[in-house]
Amino acid sequence: MRKIIKILTSKTLILGLFILAQLFFLGFVVTRLIKDEYIGIYLNWFFAIISIFIVIHVVSSDMNPEYKIAWIIPILALPVFGTFFYLLYHQNNVTKKTLENYFNITKTRNKLLKNIPNELKYKEILYLNNNGWRYYRNSNVKILKSGEEKLTKLLIDLKNAKEFILMEYFILSKGRVYDQIFDVLKQKAKEGVEIKIIYDDFGSADRLPFNFRKKMKLEGIETIPFNRMNLRLNFAMNYRTHRKIVVIDNKVAYTGGINIGDEYNNYVERFGQWHDASFRITGNAVWSFTLIFLENWNFSVKDRVEYINYYREGDVKSNEVVAPFADNPIEDRQITKSALLYLINEAKEEILITTPYLILDNELMTALKLAAKSGVKVKIVIPGIADKKLVYLVTELYAQGLVKNGVEIYKYKPGFIHSKLYLFDNKKAIIGTTNLDFRSLYLHFENNVLIYNSPVINEIYNYIIDAINISDLQSEDDLEKNFLIKTLQQILRGFSAIL
């Protein structure tokens, strides 16, 4: 009975029902108008003509080709409903005031981080610098090879916090991990440590304790739900923060694929063994993580904080090159995608990737195929057990296309691989929160780190190879489906940009 009540009072369910009601009402109104004997014929002609102009507009725009297909299919298949839907909902619903607000917030970070001399002369470093991000020396990166290992280290660092703790997560989910972390946070708040938490309103929906924000406020912990869900269907609802960041006193930072939830620590089993990685960063590079968090904080509140109040000198001596950076859909720059393209095209020997989803745009698909055909060994590890069945079908379709062109695709046999690791020639790596899918690359707020000249590179290599050794290499036949499933895959691929 409790489960039924929980489902019926679910925020996600209520929102979903309201959105379905909006779509039903839209369909009802349009259908009634079309069937009207007086205006129906004129309305049909009107929408038919408008749909042609819209298709021309979509085709000639600089929109990603996959997004063009996702709009063109419903417009041509159902000219009236598709056109009506496009006119109402194609805009991202980010107001001019919101855009100005965000750009003003990023200006401060740009001033603090831009125009650092590019001594390395690498194109990707220059690219990041031109987009407001810098690289650091005197920093250190350590890989944490499981949720359990991350939790152990994180709890120690949280207990040692002296001034402030900043946390941003896509998912906060009550359970054993949540209890251990928040018990420490409550104690640190009592000791006078400033604690700020951003959590995604959709990702954490129905996962948090009742009256979470109110309870945290009573404990002295500030919380912000990012991009709050509302009852009106709009494209900007896709703009979620998929980031995973912890910053402690600007001395230590954590990032990677691991959210706060029991499945990430294999306390509960959902899709077999959960394979994931996190990273602990110390030294000067932590400053960029602090700024990434504070940007989203200032974007979400009226009373903005001063960035410089959170700056503390690092105390690490190292020649490692560490370049943290962030992506967001508002600026629409696709920084992670561009950095990946640079490194894929630059690779000479081997590219190793782990990703839970493999839904690529044409540029990344072509780059990986070209690399494989040029003699570069390209190996990609995807889950052996799916978390989203339909998305997995599309992942398998893209995987088959890559296999045909010489890319090695491995399915992680023990379960679900959630780590997001990109390694090039065992020299350079991108690690962080970005999956190889449209949502991560185009619609989500993400954060990543570009790493060179670091001992962690070899550890990442061994970590991926260990995963490959317990995975099944896929052939074209292994990924082949029957006619009905193949047809469904092709239909879903047409909408892959919104999966």
Side-chain angles (χ1 to χ4, degrees):
M1 189 64 186
R2 274 175 130 186
K3 286 186 178 180
I4 295 174
I5 293 172
K6 185 178 178 181
I7 292 170
L8 293 176
T9 57
S10 162
K11 185 176 181 180
T12 307
L13 176 65
I14 293 169
L15 180 67
L17 291 174
F18 267 95
I19 290 173
L20 284 174
Q22 290 177 55
L23 292 173
F24 179 80
F25 179 73
L26 172 62
F28 174 76
V29 171
V30 171
T31 302
R32 289 297 299 269
L33 288 172
I34 291 171
K35 290 183 176 180
D36 187 280
E37 61 179 313
Y38 296 107
I39 64 173
I41 188 169
Y42 300 106
L43 196 65
N44 269 302
W45 276 105
F46 172 78
F47 278 110
I49 294 169
I50 291 295
S51 67
I52 293 171
F53 284 105
I54 288 176
V55 168
I56 292 171
H57 168 72
V58 170
V59 169
S60 60
S61 71
D62 59 359
M63 191 186 302
N64 185 283
E66 280 76 6
Y67 280 107
K68 292 180 181 181
I69 292 170
W71 277 119
I72 289 172
I73 290 174
I75 291 171
L76 292 181
L78 301 166
V80 177
F81 184 81
T83 300
F84 212 106
F85 189 79
Y86 177 85
L87 292 172
L88 286 177
Y89 298 118
H90 80 286
Q91 294 293 341
N92 62 20
N93 297 100
V94 177
T95 65
K96 185 178 180 181
K97 184 178 179 181
T98 301
L99 287 172
E100 289 176 356
N101 178 34
Y102 195 83
F103 291 139
N104 286 334
I105 289 169
T106 59
K107 281 179 184 176
T108 306
R109 184 253 301 162
N110 285 333
K111 290 176 183 177
L112 291 169
L113 297 185
K114 278 187 75 171
N115 301 319
I116 304 299
N118 182 17
E119 298 170 0
L120 296 174
K121 306 301 180 186
Y122 291 139
K123 288 191 301 182
E124 56 270 28
I125 288 290
L126 181 59
Y127 172 75
L128 290 178
N129 193 224
N130 287 336
N131 280 280
W133 302 102
R134 60 160 292 184
Y135 75 90
Y136 299 84
R137 302 280 190 178
N138 295 324
S139 302
N140 179 253
V141 182
K142 296 289 186 186
I143 185 172
L144 306 171
K145 299 178 181 180
S146 66
E148 297 91 328
E149 189 177 349
K150 177 195 173 181
L151 182 62
T152 300
K153 291 281 187 183
L154 178 60
L155 290 174
I156 292 171
D157 285 331
L158 290 174
K159 288 173 183 177
N160 290 330
K162 298 293 189 292
E163 298 182 72
F164 60 84
I165 297 169
L166 312 175
M167 302 178 73
E168 181 171 354
Y169 278 99
F170 178 58
I171 292 174
L172 296 181
S173 181
K174 59 189 177 185
R176 289 169 60 188
V177 175
Y178 173 96
D179 289 342
Q180 291 177 73
I181 290 173
F182 276 85
D183 283 348
V184 176
L185 292 179
K186 291 172 187 177
Q187 179 58 40
K188 299 311 292 187
K190 289 176 183 176
E191 295 172 14
V193 175
E194 178 186 354
I195 301 174
K196 286 179 162 56
I197 299 173
I198 300 171
Y199 62 93
D200 188 76
D201 197 39
F202 178 79
S204 300
D206 308 318
R207 296 172 181 261
L208 289 168
F210 182 68
N211 277 339
F212 169 73
R213 293 192 69 198
K214 185 177 180 180
K215 290 176 180 176
M216 289 300 104
K217 187 176 181 180
L218 292 173
E219 296 286 351
I221 298 172
E222 296 180 85
T223 60
I224 293 291
F226 187 81
N227 192 10
R228 299 193 72 159
M229 294 189 289
N230 59 65
L231 299 179
R232 180 177 176 270
L233 178 62
N234 65 74
F235 192 75
M237 286 175 62
N238 288 294
Y239 294 170
R240 314 312 324 172
T241 179
H242 193 244
R243 295 173 182 169
K244 292 96 179 164
I245 295 173
V246 179
V247 177
I248 301 164
D249 295 339
N250 201 53
K251 301 289 186 181
V252 182
Y254 286 81
T255 192
I258 300 171
N259 286 291
I260 295 179
D262 286 355
E263 63 266 36
Y264 298 91
N265 287 52
N266 287 296
Y267 288 167
V268 295
E269 183 177 308
R270 295 184 63 197
F271 314 107
Q273 182 187 6
W274 193 284
H275 181 288
D276 219 331
S278 188
F279 293 83
R280 182 179 185 269
I281 300 95
T282 54
N284 292 343
V286 176
W287 178 228
S288 282
F289 285 97
T290 302
L291 292 175
I292 291 169
F293 174 90
L294 293 176
E295 274 192 354
N296 259 5
W297 184 269
N298 279 354
F299 182 56
S300 304
V301 300
K302 292 181 179 179
D303 298 324
R304 297 177 183 174
V305 298
E306 291 292 333
Y307 296 161
I308 204 66
N309 292 342
Y310 294 83
Y311 179 75
R312 306 291 183 273
E313 283 286 345
D315 54 6
V316 173
K317 299 297 180 185
S318 166
N319 271 327
E320 295 179 42
V321 176
V322 184
F325 62 96
D327 245 342
N328 68 79
I330 294 178
E331 292 181 296
D332 196 29
R333 294 180 179 179
Q334 289 94 51
I335 296 174
T336 305
K337 173 189 163 182
S338 298
L340 287 172
L341 285 171
Y342 275 131
L343 295 172
I344 291 169
N345 293 328
E346 182 188 62
K348 299 291 189 296
E349 297 176 7
E350 188 175 50
I351 298 170
L352 301 178
I353 296 171
T354 67
T355 177
Y357 312 111
L358 188 62
I359 302 177
L360 304 168
D361 67 7
N362 185 63
E363 291 168 296
L364 281 168
M365 193 77 170
T366 301
L368 289 169
K369 289 178 181 177
L370 184 59
K373 287 181 177 180
S374 302
V376 178
K377 293 180 181 177
V378 182
K379 301 178 181 180
I380 302 175
V381 188
I382 61 174
I385 299 176
D387 67 331
K388 302 178 180 73
K389 301 295 185 184
L390 294 180
V391 174
Y392 194 67
L393 283 176
V394 182
T395 286
E396 289 182 307
L397 183 63
Y398 278 91
Q400 188 179 45
L402 290 171
V403 169
K404 288 178 181 177
N405 287 274
V407 175
E408 294 181 25
I409 299 291
Y410 294 85
K411 284 188 177 181
Y412 181 65
K413 202 160 35 176
F416 187 70
I417 194 158
H418 190 254
S419 50
K420 307 96 168 46
L421 307 174
Y422 307 88
L423 184 61
F424 306 89
D425 291 337
N426 203 22
K427 295 177 180 177
K428 303 176 182 180
I430 289 179
I431 55 95
T433 66
T434 299
N435 302 317
L436 271 184
D437 67 0
F438 281 87
R439 287 195 169 276
S440 269
L441 294 168
Y442 288 93
L443 298 177
H444 285 169
F445 289 74
E446 305 278 2
N447 70 275
N448 297 285
V449 189
L450 184 61
I451 308 169
Y452 306 148
N453 194 40
S454 170
V456 80
I457 294 289
N458 199 49
E459 291 186 66
I460 294 170
Y461 175 83
N462 291 331
Y463 185 65
I464 297 175
I465 293 300
D466 287 345
I468 287 174
N469 287 338
I470 52 174
S471 299
D472 291 327
L473 178 63
Q474 301 294 294
S475 66
E476 284 185 55
D477 289 341
D478 291 330
L479 295 164
E480 187 64 33
K481 305 296 181 185
N482 62 45
F483 175 77
L484 289 176
I485 299 297
K486 191 80 171 176
T487 301
L488 177 60
Q489 284 181 312
Q490 295 294 345
I491 293 170
L492 290 171
R493 182 172 185 169
F495 296 94
S496 59
I498 56 176
L499 288 177

